[in-house]
Amino acid sequence: MKKPASPQQHQQRMAKIKQKMDQKIASADKQQGIILVLTGNGKGKSSSAFGMLARSLGYGHQCSVIQFIKGAWECGEELFFAEHPKVDYHALGAGFTWETQNREADQLAANNAWAMAKERLQNPDFNLVILDEMTYMFNQELLHLDEVIATLQQRPARQNVIITGRAAPEALLEAADTVSEVKDIKHAFRQGIKAQPGIEY
Ligand code: ATP
Ligand code: MG
C-alpha cells in the first residue's frame, strides 16, 4: 500500500494544484453568456436546468422558461417557479407525440412555443432562457434546427440559454459551449416504482 503523504508533502502538492487552478481561472476571462445543452437518457436534465434557474434567481436575474412538451401531469417546478415575479413561465407543448397522436396539433404547439422562445432570445432583459425538452422538436422535425441555431448565435451577448432533452442533434452540440450527457444507469420506474411527486414531476 502507498505510504500516506506527510503534512509537508500534502501542503506542497496542494500549493502546486492551487497555482495551476488560479492560472486557469485567471485565463478564463471572457464575459459572455453560454449555451448549455443537457442531454442523454438518464434522469436529471430538466431538474438540473431548474437548479440553475434557482441559482440565477438568487442573483435577481430575469428568467424565462419555455417547455416544449407539457407533461401529462402538473409538475412541481411549474407550481413553484411560475409564481415567481422574475420568472416568465410558459408550458406550451401539446404533450408527447404518442399522447396527442395529432401531427397538426404538435406542429401548431411547436410553432407557438418557438415564437415565444425567439422573442426571449432577442430580448437582452432576459439573463437566462430555459428551452426545456426542445430536442424532441428536432427529432420529430417540428422545428428547423438551422433557424434555431442562427437565433441562438445572434442572441444578446450576456444571455445564458439552457436546452434540455434526449438525443440532442450534433449541430446543436457543436453550437453549445457546455454539453453534459446524463447517463441512465438505473431508474426506479423499471422496477415498477410509481413516479414520485417532487422527484419525477
Ligand atoms: P428530470 O425532469 O427528472 O430531470 P429528465 O429531464 O432528465 O428528468 P426526461 O426525459 O425529460 O428526463 O423525462 C421526464 C420524466 O421521465 C421524469 O419524470 C423522469 O424521472 C423520467 N425519466 C427520466 N429518465 C428516465 C429513464 N431512464 N427511465 C424512466 N423514466 C425516466
Ligand atoms: Mg426533462
Side-chain angles (χ1 to χ4, degrees), residues 11-140:
Q11 190 270 327
Q12 280 168 3
R13 268 182 220 160
M14 293 304 128
K16 263 193 202 158
I17 294 175
K18 177 169 166 51
Q19 198 187 2
K20 277 194 191 150
M21 289 305 293
D22 287 349
Q23 273 168 7
K24 279 188 195 166
I25 293 167
S27 61
D29 61 356
K30 278 188 259 172
Q31 284 272 17
Q32 66 173 65
I34 64 157
I35 301 172
L36 170 57
V37 173
L38 297 163
T39 191
N41 292 333
K43 171 188 163 46
K45 300 173 292 292
S46 297
S47 40
S48 166
F50 286 101
M52 286 179 269
L53 176 61
R55 276 190 174 164
S56 290
L57 293 172
Y59 288 99
H61 294 167
Q62 183 68 52
C63 304
S64 181
V65 177
I66 312 282
Q67 290 189 301
F68 282 81
I69 297 178
K70 191 177 157 65
W73 311 304
E74 62 179 23
C75 58
E77 56 267 40
E78 183 175 1
L79 295 173
F80 184 76
F81 287 112
E83 295 298 310
H84 195 290
K86 294 259 176 180
V87 181
D88 159 67
Y89 202 113
H90 303 276
L92 294 169
F96 287 108
T97 46
W98 59 86
E99 297 286 354
T100 64
Q101 301 170 14
N102 181 337
R103 176 86 191 166
E104 214 174 305
D106 294 343
Q107 186 64 66
L108 273 174
N111 293 349
N112 186 22
W114 172 237
M116 280 275 193
K118 202 169 170 179
E119 256 180 56
R120 272 88 193 145
L121 293 169
Q122 292 168 340
N123 184 344
D125 293 343
F126 289 104
N127 300 106
L128 174 67
V129 179
I130 296 179
L131 306 172
D132 189 39
E133 317 296 353
M134 188 191 224
T135 60
Y136 299 93
M137 302 299 111
F138 308 123
N139 308 337
Q140 299 287 332

Side-chain angles (χ1 to χ4, degrees), residues 33-35 121-122 150-157 159-161 177:
I34 64 157
I35 301 172
L121 293 169
Q122 292 168 340
T151 307
L152 288 170
Q153 285 166 340
Q154 287 154 23
R155 78 192 188 286
Q159 188 179 75
N160 291 311
V161 182
D177 301 290

